[in-house]
Amino acid sequence: MKTANIIFVFLFLFSAVLQFNDPDPVNWVLIYTMAALSSALFVVKKGSWYFSAFTGMIAFFWMLFLLPALSDSPIPIAWAEVFGEAEMKTETVEITREILGLLIVFAWMGVLALNALKDKNNK
């Protein structure tokens, strides 16, 4: 688990740095930094289930907020473009990437929160 957390710290920090050229960087830098901080706290054995759960819930509700924009888009999702070049070709590609990023944050924060709760209950 420690190795996975170290990897996620770097992945989330890298994701945060990539957001500085985004039109709306502040929110994205904050969510990825919160996820990196949560993972880093678990590396040094100071992590808490509630900080991870809080971060994950922010990502979850943000995803829910973005989903209607994706479903209302007249342009179908071009998965080759989503996972292809870093350049944003359409708004659909950007929204899809944002949702996938939030899904990763939500999923990993869920793993951390559940593991922390399990460890807490086993003590």
Side-chain angles (χ1 to χ4, degrees):
M1 215 34 198
K2 184 175 182 177
T3 302
N5 273 313
I6 291 169
I7 291 168
F8 273 102
V9 167
F10 286 108
L11 288 175
F12 289 137
L13 287 176
F14 180 69
S15 296
V17 168
L18 289 178
Q19 300 309 311
F20 283 109
N21 69 351
D22 200 69
D24 56 342
V26 175
N27 295 336
W28 292 103
V29 169
L30 283 174
I31 192 70
Y32 286 126
T33 302
M34 287 174 66
L37 177 60
S38 183
S39 295
L41 288 171
F42 277 98
V43 169
V44 296
K45 300 189 187 310
K46 300 285 184 190
S48 65
W49 71 267
Y50 49 88
F51 183 70
S52 297
F54 177 72
T55 303
M57 293 313 295
I58 291 171
F60 177 75
F61 287 112
W62 193 352
M63 255 189 328
L64 290 181
F65 177 77
L66 290 176
L67 280 173
L70 188 61
S71 63
D72 292 342
S73 175
I75 302 168
I77 297 171
W79 292 104
E81 290 180 10
V82 170
F83 295 108
E85 297 176 23
E87 176 186 348
M88 183 193 77
K89 302 212 184 240
T90 66
E91 187 175 334
T92 303
V93 168
E94 180 180 7
I95 293 170
T96 303
R97 287 177 179 168
E98 289 174 346
I99 289 171
L100 290 173
L102 291 169
L103 180 62
I104 292 167
V105 170
F106 171 68
W108 188 246
M109 294 301 104
V111 167
L112 293 181
L114 290 174
N115 278 338
L117 280 173
K118 184 180 78 170
D119 289 347
K120 181 182 173 183
N121 289 335
N122 287 338
K123 287 185 180 181

